[in-house]
């Protein structure tokens, strides 16, 4: 029977397929689940002897003891054969093949006592049923085609190591299923990372009872490549047969660089197909190594009839030990306050599935120079080495630096370094001066103390309220960076509590929070002014500003993007000093804090004054009655106004100046320029024409004007009142109305809601009031006394206009 096993690599890397001369087996290979016989093997190097399970590789000069571990009632006799190989292209000498008859009573006859000869690179063992001529046939096979046995030895070694990882994974999953299956969701990913296994994430979403069986399905595809030893696999893709045989004799392409056990289906038995005989058929085995025992796993029952099965057992490669490079998986110091603290490591699945790494120890060195050795245990389900319990001496409180080391086979094994921390009893305090914590936002805070890795929780409490957990992050070996969430807090006292793992006394840090302080960006004060503009943020907290002998109080806050602008108005008759003066403003906040702001007095702003104005009403309606305005203070919404202005002291008018006109609330301003209604008489006088129809429809009431020059502007000054006029179609009075004052007249028209009141006298005595939102077209009004009615408009409540009623 031919034996097939899997390996985990793309089919292009299947080097052994290049060597095969027999046709491929169509069916999937049978798994290695049949228990075969066992061997007992020890290796001695110098004065030290190790069981085979602790030996990752052999060396020239090693003493090896091999004995078959067969039951007392063993019926079939086996010959134990050993052979040393020195590469695919260099047949070994005859004396490198040795034999022992396992049924002999004398130990020296049934045991192989071997010394690895100089130049040997591989070693293979055979268990063959006792048959006349077996020794010669095996010796001829090994010496005739050593390359096949070189490759088989390498592949079977790696296959056994992969099987050890699979067994470790399956054993841990089953153990978890039997104890705490509810933890599989968190344990399985760690196991998979530790042992480099393929994890089916979908299994963890199933019900608890089905997770373990799902995780262990299709186990022949579970094992992934051991990255530690797969660097040269790609170089073998497409290699010709002779090159593959040559590479197989080198350390770089030898055992340990790709797995022949899991993955693409292949048949190691093809290796032996070219020299199988009617007498013997070769049966490769996987070995399970525990202590000095090598249990053999078969995927087919051995035959004791012709052709009899020769079980092929691979031994570790004869080469210098190449321990894996353990990497620390810790992102910072490790806390040892509780038993079972974890030293996370990466990069070496075999430290969990074999006993190659032994006597692993963490040597700790304290800040004072004292050292202590702590034995550690490899735990695949936790992803690293676990520290033992027990109390460390006081010298190791705070931060101690540790080095992980042990033995890898016969050699010293160096691991990564770790920082290990224990609470030192000093607690935590503010790092530096107390910060100004501001409510309404998150605040950063740094604490100084010992063993930040051992901090279990940080909470924030205000007054008698509940403690809220807050996020933190360790900084180095003695700092904690906190984020205090004060967005929904009020100013006042706060307590931050830091609790350690293991029940150490917590630290309580008292703090105080404030309303956000104003940020002062700048202050603009023009020479001669008693008003200023302060810019920054949170200027709503400003109570007053003192500069020189001038006290300025808030007079309106506005915001432009993220910047506040606070208008300040002086309370005294004095004004700002001359332009260019360097002053310091003392800003007092409402909570009593004060801030200083330096600034320079700006040049005086340009100033103008109104000289004269004239108003031209709009075209009178063809029908109906026209209102008599009787004042140059009222501009109808269909009229036009011409006005003139004069430059103030120190101001000269230019063609680039503009006049801005806006309602009292600064809304919908229009700008007059020399291209749009503005004419320059000279450097002191300017004449402007304002068409009321150019104003925005929503603009009415008192209008203001000012001079605009670049970013500077003069003070606003009153200009005129813009009024929307109703349309009066007719005024009709009853016969006999007049001095009696009876309400015997009717006004007909449109937009009558623009009228506030209608009376018979200029004083509007006993006037008829028009309801707000009036939608009618007829008003009942008093009878006129002098042939005219008097109207008060809503847009100009201080001006009375007349309506002919004769």
């Amino acid at each position: 029977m031919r034996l097939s096993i899997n390996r985990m690599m793309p089919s292009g890397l299947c080097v052994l397929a290049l060597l095969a001369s027999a046709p491929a087996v169509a069916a999937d290979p049978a798994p290695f689940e049949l228990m075969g016989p066992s061997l007992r093997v020890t290796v001695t190097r110098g004065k030290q002897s190790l069981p085979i399970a602790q030996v990752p590789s052999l060396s020239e000069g090693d003493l090896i003891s091999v004995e078959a571990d067969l039951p007392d009632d063993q019926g079939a006799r086996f010959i134990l054969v050993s052979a040393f190989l020195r590469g695919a292209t260099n047949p070994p000498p005859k004396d490198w093949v040795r034999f022992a008859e396992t049924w002999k009573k004398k130990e020296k006859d049934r045991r192989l006592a071997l010394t690895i000869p100089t130049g040997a690179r591989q070693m293979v063992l055979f268990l063959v049923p006792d048959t006349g001529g077996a020794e010669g046939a095996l010796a001829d096979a090994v010496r005739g085609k050593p390359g096949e046995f070189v490759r088989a030895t390498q592949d079977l070694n790696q296959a056994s190591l992969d099987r050890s990882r699979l067994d470790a994974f399956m054993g841990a999953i089953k153990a978890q299923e039997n104890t705490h299956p509810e933890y599989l969701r968190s344990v399985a990913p760690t196991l998979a990372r530790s042992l480099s296994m393929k994890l089916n994430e979908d299994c963890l979403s199933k019900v608890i009872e089905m997770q373990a069986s799902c995780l262990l399905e299709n186990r022949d595809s579970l094992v992934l490549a051991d990255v530690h030893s797969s660097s040269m696999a790609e170089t073998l893709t497409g290699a010709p047969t002779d090159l593959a045989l040559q590479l197989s004799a080198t350390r770089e392409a030898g055992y340990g660089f790709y797995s022949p056990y899991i993955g693409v289906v292949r048949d190691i038995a093809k290796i032996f197909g070219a020299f199988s005989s009617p007498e013997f058929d070769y049966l490769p085995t996987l070995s399970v190594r525990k202590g000095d025992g090598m249990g053999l796993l078969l995927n087919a029952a051995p035959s004791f009839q012709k052709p009899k099965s020769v079980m092929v057992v691979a031994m570790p490669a004869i080469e210098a030990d190449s321990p894996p490079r353990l990497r620390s998986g810790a992102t910072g110091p490790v806390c040892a306050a509780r038993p079972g603290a974890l030293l996370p490591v990466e990069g070496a699945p075999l430290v969990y599935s074999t006993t190659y790494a032994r006597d692993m120890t963490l040597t700790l060195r304290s800040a004072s120079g004292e050292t202590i050795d702590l034995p550690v245990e490899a735990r695949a389900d936790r992803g690293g080495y676990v520290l033992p319990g027990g109390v460390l001496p006081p010298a190791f409180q705070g931060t101690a630096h540790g080095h992980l080391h042990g033995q890898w086979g016969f050699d010293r094994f160096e691991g990564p370094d770790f920082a290990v921390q224990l609470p030192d009893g000093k607690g935590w305090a503010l790092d530096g001066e107390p910060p100004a914590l501001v409510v309404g936002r998150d605040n950063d805070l740094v604490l100084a103390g010992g063993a930040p890795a051992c901090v279990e929780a940080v909470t924030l409490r205000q007054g008698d309220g509940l403690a809220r957990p807050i996020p933190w992050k360790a900084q180095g070996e003695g700092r904690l960076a906190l984020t205090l969430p004060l967005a929904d807090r009020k100013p006042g006292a706060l307590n931050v509590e830091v609790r350690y793992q293991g029940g150490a006394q917590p630290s309580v840090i008292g703090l105080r929070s404030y309303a956000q302080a104003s940020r002062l960006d700048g202050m603009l004060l023009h020479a001669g002014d008693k008003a200023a503009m302060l810019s920054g943020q949170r200027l709503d907290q400003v109570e007053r500003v003192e500069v020189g002998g001038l006290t300025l109080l808030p007079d309106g806050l506005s915001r432009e993007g993220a910047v506040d602008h606070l208008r300040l108005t002086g309370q005294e008759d004095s004004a700002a000093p001359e332009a260019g003066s360097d002053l310091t403003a003392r800003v007092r906040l409402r909570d009593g804090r004060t801030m200083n702001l330096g600034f320079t007095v700006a040049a005086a702003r340009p100033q103008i004054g109104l000289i004269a104005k004239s108003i031209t009403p709009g075209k009178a309606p063809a029908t109906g009655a026209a209102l008599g305005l009787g004042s140059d203070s009222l501009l109808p919404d269909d009229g036009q106004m011409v006005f003139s202005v004069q430059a103030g002291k120190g101001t000269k008018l230019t063609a680039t100046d503009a006049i801005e006109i806006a309602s009292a609330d600064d809304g919908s301003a229009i700008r007059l320029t020399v291209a749009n209604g503005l004419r320059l008489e000279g450097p002191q006088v300017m004449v402007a024409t304002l068409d009321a129809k150019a104003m925005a429809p929503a603009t009415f009431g008192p209008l203001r004007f000012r001079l605009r020059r670049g970013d500077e502007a003069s003070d606003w000054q009153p200009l005129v009142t813009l009024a929307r006029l109703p349309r009066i179609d007719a005024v009709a009075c009853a016969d006999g109305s007049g001095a009696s004052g009876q309400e015997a007249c009717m006004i007909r028209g449109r937009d009558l809601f623009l009228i506030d009141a209608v009376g018979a006298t200029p004083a509007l005595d006993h006037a008829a009031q028009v309801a707000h939102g009036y939608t009618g077209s007829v008003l009942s009004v008093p009878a006129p006394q002098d042939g005219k009615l008097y109207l008060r408009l809503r847009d100009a409540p201080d001006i009375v206009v007349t309506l002919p009623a004769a």
Side-chain angles (χ1 to χ4, degrees):
M1 177 179 293
R2 299 285 170 80
L3 171 65
S4 298
I5 63 176
N6 296 335
R7 76 174 179 85
M8 188 256 162
M9 280 292 159
S11 58
L13 297 181
C14 194
V15 176
L16 292 181
L18 298 171
L19 309 179
S21 59
V25 178
D28 288 342
F32 283 83
E33 300 297 342
L34 184 62
M35 293 298 300
S38 298
L39 303 176
R40 297 178 61 187
V41 183
T42 59
V43 181
T44 301
R45 185 175 300 172
K47 296 181 179 180
Q48 187 177 13
S49 295
L50 292 179
I52 189 61
Q54 296 180 1
V55 180
S57 62
L58 302 174
S59 180
E60 295 178 359
D62 284 352
L63 303 180
I64 302 177
S65 172
V66 184
E67 183 177 358
D69 188 10
L70 300 174
D72 294 336
D73 59 351
Q74 175 68 34
R77 292 183 173 184
F78 284 99
I79 298 175
L80 179 61
V81 184
S82 68
F84 293 106
L85 304 166
R86 54 186 181 187
T89 60
N90 192 2
K94 290 182 179 181
D95 59 357
W96 281 20
V97 182
R98 300 277 300 277
F99 304 90
E101 297 173 335
T102 61
W103 63 89
K104 296 294 185 179
K105 292 184 178 181
K106 292 183 179 180
E107 182 180 359
K108 66 181 184 63
D109 295 328
R110 68 173 184 266
R111 181 173 64 89
L112 292 174
L114 308 169
T115 300
I116 298 179
T118 302
R121 290 296 175 264
Q122 292 86 23
M123 179 180 179
V124 62
L125 299 175
F126 303 93
L127 275 176
V128 56
D130 179 26
T131 303
E135 293 88 339
L138 283 175
D140 291 343
V142 171
R143 299 184 67 246
K145 290 190 176 182
E148 280 78 352
F149 292 97
V150 167
R151 176 58 74 191
T153 301
Q154 295 167 342
D155 287 351
L156 290 175
N157 259 309
Q158 187 62 44
S160 297
L161 295 178
D162 290 342
R163 175 60 184 249
S164 73
R165 289 193 284 138
L166 178 62
D167 288 346
F169 180 75
M170 295 178 64
I173 292 294
K174 290 179 180 178
Q176 194 69 47
E177 181 185 23
N178 294 334
T179 55
H180 297 286
E182 66 275 15
Y183 296 152
L184 270 177
R185 184 173 282 107
S186 58
V187 171
T190 304
L191 272 172
R193 286 193 301 270
S194 300
L195 294 165
S196 192
M197 308 297 293
K198 180 180 179 182
L199 183 68
N200 186 353
E201 299 284 354
D202 294 338
C203 294
L204 301 179
S205 63
K206 296 181 180 294
V207 296
I208 292 176
E209 292 76 13
M210 298 179 63
Q211 288 177 6
S213 60
C214 176
L215 288 170
L216 299 180
E217 286 178 352
N218 302 318
R219 62 181 183 177
D220 285 352
S221 63
L222 290 177
V223 181
L224 299 177
D226 180 356
V227 178
H228 149 63
S229 59
S230 64
S231 60
M232 285 296 295
E234 291 79 4
T235 67
L236 301 180
T237 304
T241 303
D242 56 348
L243 177 59
L245 289 173
Q246 293 175 27
L247 286 172
S248 69
T250 66
R251 181 177 181 276
E252 288 75 7
Y255 137 71
F257 286 90
Y258 68 97
S259 165
Y261 180 57
I262 305 298
V264 180
V265 175
R266 40 141 344 160
D267 191 352
I268 286 187
K270 296 174 187 175
I271 298 174
F272 308 113
F275 55 92
S276 292
S277 68
E279 296 292 328
F280 298 106
D281 201 2
Y282 293 86
L283 185 65
T285 65
L286 299 184
S287 58
V288 179
R289 303 168 190 177
K290 293 183 180 180
D292 64 354
M294 290 181 63
L296 305 184
L297 292 178
L298 314 175
N299 77 336
S303 172
F304 295 95
Q305 296 178 351
K306 294 183 180 181
K308 295 184 179 182
S309 298
V310 178
M311 287 176 277
V312 182
V313 184
M315 290 288 285
I318 303 171
E319 60 182 8
D321 279 341
S322 179
R325 295 182 180 179
L326 276 182
R327 302 185 304 272
S328 170
T331 57
V334 175
C335 178
R338 290 176 176 170
L342 177 68
L343 303 174
V345 296
E346 301 172 349
L350 295 184
V351 302
Y352 304 110
S353 64
T354 70
T355 55
Y356 291 164
R358 57 187 177 84
D359 300 332
M360 296 301 292
T361 301
L362 181 72
T363 298
L364 279 182
R365 181 178 296 276
S366 68
S368 60
E370 297 182 41
T371 60
I372 188 173
D373 289 334
L374 302 175
V376 293
E377 177 189 2
R379 290 280 299 273
D381 59 337
R382 296 191 60 190
Y385 284 93
V386 175
L387 289 169
V391 179
L392 291 176
F396 293 91
Q397 293 179 348
T399 301
H401 295 277
H403 177 66
L404 183 65
H405 61 90
Q407 295 292 125
W408 183 267
F410 288 97
D411 298 330
R412 183 174 172 85
F413 182 31
E414 302 294 346
D417 294 333
F418 295 89
V420 177
Q421 294 185 337
L422 280 174
D424 56 10
K426 297 179 181 178
W428 292 89
L430 290 174
D431 184 22
E433 295 296 324
L437 302 177
V438 178
V439 297
R441 68 185 186 194
D442 291 345
N443 290 251
D444 294 331
L445 185 69
V446 178
L447 302 181
C454 294
V455 172
E456 183 176 57
V458 182
T459 58
L460 175 67
R461 186 192 301 271
Q462 186 171 32
D464 296 330
L466 296 176
R468 288 177 50 184
I470 58 176
W472 84 94
K473 183 170 62 176
Q475 285 187 344
E477 297 180 354
R479 298 288 187 274
L480 275 185
L482 313 179
T483 299
L484 304 184
L486 302 182
D488 57 349
R489 299 278 180 168
K490 295 181 179 180
L494 300 169
N495 283 333
V496 172
E497 182 176 286
V498 182
R499 293 200 305 272
Y500 277 123
Q501 302 176 20
Q505 184 69 25
S507 298
V508 179
I509 300 97
L511 302 167
R512 186 170 187 83
S513 62
Y514 300 88
Q516 183 178 357
S518 299
R519 190 192 77 191
L520 306 179
D521 294 339
M523 183 167 174
L524 179 61
L525 178 62
H526 291 277
D529 280 3
K530 293 193 297 181
M533 185 67 71
L534 187 64
S535 61
Q537 285 186 343
R538 292 302 308 269
L539 299 185
D540 57 309
Q541 296 187 60
V542 175
E543 183 179 71
R544 67 175 183 269
V545 178
E546 297 175 353
V547 51
L550 190 63
T551 299
L552 304 169
L553 299 181
D555 188 27
L557 179 67
S558 62
R559 170 159 292 192
E560 184 177 328
V563 179
D564 290 348
H565 297 283
L566 180 64
R567 177 177 172 81
L568 302 167
T569 304
Q571 302 302 301
E572 298 88 4
D573 292 336
S574 59
E578 296 181 357
S581 301
D582 292 327
L583 302 177
T584 298
R586 185 175 179 82
V587 182
R588 183 176 180 84
L589 305 183
R590 300 185 188 279
D591 61 6
R593 289 175 288 177
T594 59
M595 307 172 70
N596 292 332
L597 176 65
F599 71 100
T600 300
V601 178
R605 292 181 294 118
Q607 298 293 337
I608 57 173
L610 185 65
I611 300 176
K613 58 185 174 180
S614 59
I615 296 174
T616 303
K619 185 178 180 181
T623 60
L627 294 176
L629 303 181
S631 171
D632 63 356
S633 298
L634 187 67
L635 174 64
D637 59 351
D638 60 352
Q640 187 181 76
M641 180 178 70
V642 178
F643 63 98
S644 58
V645 296
Q646 184 174 21
K649 182 180 179 181
T651 301
K652 289 185 178 181
L653 301 176
T654 68
T656 60
D657 291 338
I659 290 181
E660 291 181 334
I661 301 173
S663 60
D665 60 358
D666 290 341
S668 302
I670 67 169
R671 179 174 293 191
L672 302 180
T673 66
V674 292
N676 177 29
L678 203 61
R679 299 189 69 182
L680 194 64
E681 178 188 292
Q684 295 298 315
V685 177
M686 186 179 288
V687 178
T689 300
L690 173 64
D691 191 343
K693 296 179 181 179
M695 302 296 291
T699 301
F700 53 85
L703 300 182
R704 304 183 299 171
F705 78 99
R706 67 181 179 181
L707 180 68
R708 166 65 68 177
R709 176 175 292 169
D711 294 332
E712 299 292 339
S714 66
D715 293 330
W716 286 106
Q717 299 181 57
L719 177 61
V720 72
T721 298
L722 176 64
R724 297 165 295 172
L725 302 182
R727 171 71 179 271
I728 307 299
D729 295 332
V731 178
C733 296
D735 294 340
S737 62
S740 63
Q742 297 177 351
E743 295 182 356
C745 291
M746 305 292 289
I747 295 178
R748 296 182 182 276
R750 292 177 297 172
D751 297 334
L752 301 182
F753 65 88
L754 294 174
I755 303 173
D756 181 51
V758 181
T761 64
L764 296 177
D765 298 327
H766 308 290
Q769 299 290 325
V770 180
H772 289 284
Y774 182 71
T775 59
S777 59
V778 178
L779 285 177
S780 297
V781 299
Q785 297 181 5
D786 54 2
K788 293 186 293 186
L789 290 173
Y790 297 90
L791 282 66
R792 182 171 62 231
L793 302 177
R794 294 196 189 277
D795 293 346
D798 297 330
I799 301 174
V800 176
V801 301
T802 60
L803 174 65

